[in-house]
Amino acid sequence: MIRQAIIPLAGLGTRLLPLTSVYAKELLPINGKVGLEYIIEECIEAGIKEIIFIISKKKEIIKKYFYNDKFYQKIIKKKKNLRIINEYKKIKKYKKMIKFVYQNNPKGTGDAVLKTKKLIKDNFFLMLLPDDLIIKKNCSKDMILIHNKKKCSVMASMKVNKSTVNRWGIYSKKKNINKNNFYIKDVIEKPDIKSAPSNNAVIGRYILTKKIFKKLYKQKKGKGGEIHITDSIRKLIKDGEKFIGHNFKGRYLDCGTMSGYIKSSMEINKL
Ligand code: G1P
């Protein structure tokens, strides 16, 4: 059973400047709702009971968003507005599920995951990258179903344009399980177009084994001087750990870039 999810939120969001110069990108509204709330909803619907946020001192505004009780209570006392009351109830519900850990140096996703080590209780946990929104179908829920059957790690996969492989983690396949799932032979972080083994890219949903922490301890910096989760996953696969790639059914929205962010509001508006 997967009960815990982790969400790395310490990134600086430079691709969305100037929107992120004084504000957290994960709190930006997407069609009138804070982006991070879509991710939380995906978790809850997938049966997750506890969510660990990896923030930084610079991103404490995220904590404040969930710990703004006095403000809400004052407004509600004065206005008794049903919409505000319901929004506050929702935020209180989320707050109960959330724990915070800090990554004050944004050294990469691998380093962010390592910060959660002490809080992870079970053998497997879910990680969601908040820049990657998946709508129309709950990707985490489907991945948990696969994990429950196969009892191994699962990662989301999507075919990308061959000319963009150097922006993603790229899989090489070992064996197809069925139309939508395959065993992963290898995964390479942001390969050159020439050396990329495929155009099957890693999308930000991962069910990871606790064994990843041992690898992360020793993980050296990789592409762009960052500690990548992909590099530690690769080592686990080399050790014989099973990883499944899941071609998800929902629609992917890249909220980490300006054009993607703008498009995602329009796409969600059409739903
Ligand atoms: C991260 C991962 C990469 C993955 C991507 C999905 O990259 O390192 O393997 O393909 O998320 O969005 P980033 O977007 O942080 O550069």
Side-chain angles (χ1 to χ4, degrees):
M1 207 167 52
I2 307 284
R3 293 183 300 175
Q4 289 178 298
I6 70 170
I7 307 180
L9 295 160
L12 298 174
T14 45
R15 287 183 289 192
L16 283 172
L17 279 170
L19 302 184
T20 47
S21 83
V22 291
Y23 203 57
K25 67 174 171 183
E26 298 82 3
L27 295 182
L28 290 171
I30 298 174
N31 194 42
K33 182 157 83 184
V34 161
L36 187 52
E37 288 196 22
Y38 290 95
I39 303 279
I40 297 174
E41 281 170 8
E42 180 178 331
C43 287
I44 294 175
E45 220 188 281
I48 293 297
K49 304 291 175 221
E50 183 178 278
I51 310 177
I52 302 164
F53 281 5
I54 306 136
I55 60 166
S56 68
K57 275 189 191 141
K58 285 191 186 137
K59 306 273 297 266
E60 274 191 323
I61 192 166
I62 294 178
K63 192 168 186 182
K64 189 161 181 207
Y65 183 78
F66 296 94
Y67 279 76
N68 217 0
D69 301 77
K70 275 192 190 136
F71 171 80
Y72 276 104
Q73 283 155 5
K74 225 165 134 185
I75 302 269
I76 289 168
K77 215 173 167 186
K78 258 197 232 157
K79 284 197 166 169
K80 303 206 166 44
N81 177 306
L82 191 61
R83 191 190 73 82
I84 301 174
I85 292 171
N86 285 335
E87 288 295 331
Y88 179 46
K89 268 191 198 155
K90 192 176 71 182
I91 284 172
K92 272 204 294 191
K93 181 179 114 188
Y94 294 161
K95 177 182 159 185
K96 272 195 196 152
M97 302 178 67
I98 303 169
K99 283 193 173 148
F100 292 86
V101 294
Y102 283 77
Q103 181 199 25
N104 286 326
N105 262 328
K107 286 194 279 191
T109 314
D111 178 62
V113 175
L114 194 54
K115 304 288 183 212
T116 66
K117 185 181 177 284
K118 282 192 184 144
L119 296 178
I120 296 297
K121 295 175 198 143
D122 302 326
N123 288 333
F124 289 89
F125 59 96
L126 172 72
M127 171 164 77
L128 304 94
L129 302 185
D131 282 357
D132 294 349
L133 271 197
I134 300 173
I135 56 167
K136 292 188 178 166
K137 192 88 173 65
N138 191 319
C139 179
S140 297
K141 197 172 173 181
D142 288 347
M143 283 170 55
I144 289 174
L145 287 176
I146 298 160
H147 165 80
N148 289 346
K149 255 196 205 160
K150 303 282 184 183
K151 308 276 176 263
C152 67
S153 296
V154 186
M155 297 160 72
S157 163
M158 181 181 82
K159 277 223 181 312
V160 295
N161 195 311
K162 287 199 174 84
S163 62
T164 68
V165 287
N166 59 0
R167 182 255 176 264
W168 313 90
I170 295 292
Y171 297 114
S172 97
K173 278 190 192 183
K174 191 175 184 182
K175 193 178 149 212
N176 281 333
I177 301 173
N178 51 40
K179 208 176 109 224
N180 296 318
N181 301 290
F182 57 91
Y183 284 113
I184 299 165
K185 186 170 149 201
D186 199 0
V187 59
I188 305 163
E189 184 65 21
K190 302 187 173 65
D192 307 331
I193 298 177
K194 276 185 205 154
S195 59
S198 75
N199 62 334
N200 295 306
V202 179
I203 299 299
R205 301 289 181 276
Y206 307 69
I207 292 175
L208 294 169
T209 159
K210 223 180 178 175
K211 291 180 195 162
I212 196 83
F213 293 117
K214 269 199 183 150
K215 300 290 177 201
L216 284 171
Y217 261 132
K218 294 187 220 148
Q219 188 59 58
K220 297 207 173 92
K221 288 178 188 169
K223 280 264 153 73
E226 284 184 29
I227 297 171
H228 292 287
I229 191 71
T230 317
D231 293 339
S232 287
I233 291 171
R234 188 174 201 196
K235 286 186 184 150
L236 280 179
I237 296 173
K238 291 242 155 75
D239 282 1
E241 191 72 29
K242 276 191 179 145
F243 273 75
I244 291 175
H246 169 64
N247 301 317
F248 58 91
K249 293 201 188 89
R251 174 145 172 65
Y252 169 70
L253 302 171
D254 178 8
C255 300
T257 63
M258 191 59 92
S259 63
Y261 169 66
I262 293 166
K263 242 196 248 164
S264 59
S265 272
M266 294 192 290
E267 285 279 332
I268 291 179
N269 187 264
K270 278 193 256 164
L271 290 180

